[in-house]
Amino acid sequence: MLNLVLFGPPGAGKGTQSQNLIEKYGLIHLSTGDLLRGEISNGTALGLEAKKLMDEGILVPDAVVIGMISNKLDANKDAKGFIFDGFPRTVAQAAALDNLLTSKNQQISGMIALEVNDDELLKRLLLRGKDSGRPDDANPEVISKRIKEYNDKTAPVAEFYKKQDKFNSINGIGTVDEIFTAICAIVDAY
Ligand code: AP5
Ligand code: MG
């Protein structure tokens, strides 16, 4: 199996590049942000709880997203592999993911981190916020909060994978195609 963690701050292009990757490599895309927005649009209790935090740019509790990922792994037993997008976002989530995969005799192949500076992130997300309907793209304060959450809680996840010798970093600024080519060079080596 090929199991990739696509990593980076809000607006780095994880979702955009995941779409290209699933087409080329036949992997299953697991975005906890998309799964949570699905819960919100279905009006579930979990969605209602998550929405309050997401609209403020704050991470939802680890147990919530770990449970969602566990369900998805069980539901896709025959997959060729997974792209984890926006997960793991805390060191506790990364450790939980390792445990889930180990219990299935699987592991993460590698992490690919998209490096994008804060000014570019803000620009991209405000632009998308004009018509995305995502409340967390709507104002600069919430976007800044998301970036702060990333720096405080998510950035340490890179260290977790560096220790396992699975960390790869690429420049996330450029055209979508240029960045995809750089990602493929890493994926092909796996
Ligand atoms: P989530 O949905 O994961 O959002 P995010 O990571 O904050 O950011 P995005 O998904 O907006 O960015 P992206 O990197 O996917 O970029 P994209 O390709 O869309 O999470 C939302 C919330 O859910 C969190 O704040 C949290 O509350 C909760 N949550 C989710 N997962 C969680 C977890 N594991 N634990 C706890 N809480 C969790 O691109 C962004 C924009 O840029 C697009 O408009 C795109 O068209 C554009 N773009 C892409 N590439 C380029 C390029 N090369 N040049 C110019 N523009 C580009
Ligand atoms: Mg995304």
Side-chain angles (χ1 to χ4, degrees):
M1 268 176 110
L2 182 64
N3 294 311
L4 303 170
V5 174
L6 200 51
F7 190 71
K14 303 180 295 292
T16 303
Q17 297 298 339
S18 290
Q19 287 312 314
N20 289 335
L21 285 164
I22 56 174
E23 274 175 38
K24 177 160 178 181
Y25 296 99
L27 305 172
I28 293 195
H29 180 208
L30 294 182
S31 157
T32 40
D34 289 349
L35 293 172
L36 289 166
R37 282 183 289 277
E39 296 282 340
I40 292 172
S41 56
N42 289 331
T44 65
L46 191 159
L48 263 165
E49 244 345 273
K51 182 172 167 47
K52 285 184 230 152
L53 296 165
M54 291 170 73
D55 286 357
E56 288 179 44
I58 299 170
L59 295 186
V60 307
D62 288 337
V64 170
V65 288
I66 292 165
M68 291 194 314
I69 290 289
S70 176
N71 290 340
K72 287 287 172 188
L73 294 180
D74 288 340
N76 292 283
K77 286 202 166 72
D78 298 328
K80 283 167 72 180
F82 296 92
I83 298 175
F84 297 94
D85 159 4
F87 179 92
R89 234 172 168 108
T90 63
V91 172
Q93 290 177 24
L97 178 59
D98 268 5
N99 288 336
L100 280 174
L101 292 173
T102 302
S103 73
K104 300 174 197 308
N105 289 319
Q106 297 296 334
Q107 60 170 338
I108 290 297
S109 311
M111 165 190 263
I112 301 172
L114 298 168
E115 310 285 350
V116 178
N117 64 56
D118 290 0
D119 286 349
E120 173 73 12
L121 298 174
L122 186 65
K123 201 173 81 187
R124 287 184 188 178
L125 294 177
L126 284 175
L127 183 68
R128 182 175 64 185
K130 286 181 184 169
D131 50 30
S132 71
R134 270 180 66 166
D136 60 345
D137 286 346
N139 76 67
E141 286 74 32
V142 174
I143 294 171
S144 295
K145 179 71 194 171
R146 288 162 65 191
I147 294 174
K148 187 175 182 322
E149 283 279 277
Y150 173 83
N151 289 328
D152 292 349
K153 299 175 185 168
T154 306
V157 175
E159 292 303 317
F160 182 92
Y161 289 100
K162 277 179 193 165
K163 281 186 197 142
Q164 297 187 7
D165 211 12
K166 292 178 179 172
F167 177 81
N168 304 274
S169 153
I170 63 164
N171 180 8
I173 296 183
T175 67
V176 170
D177 285 349
E178 283 164 356
I179 296 162
F180 184 56
T181 302
I183 293 175
C184 290
I186 295 169
V187 175
D188 289 339
Y190 285 115

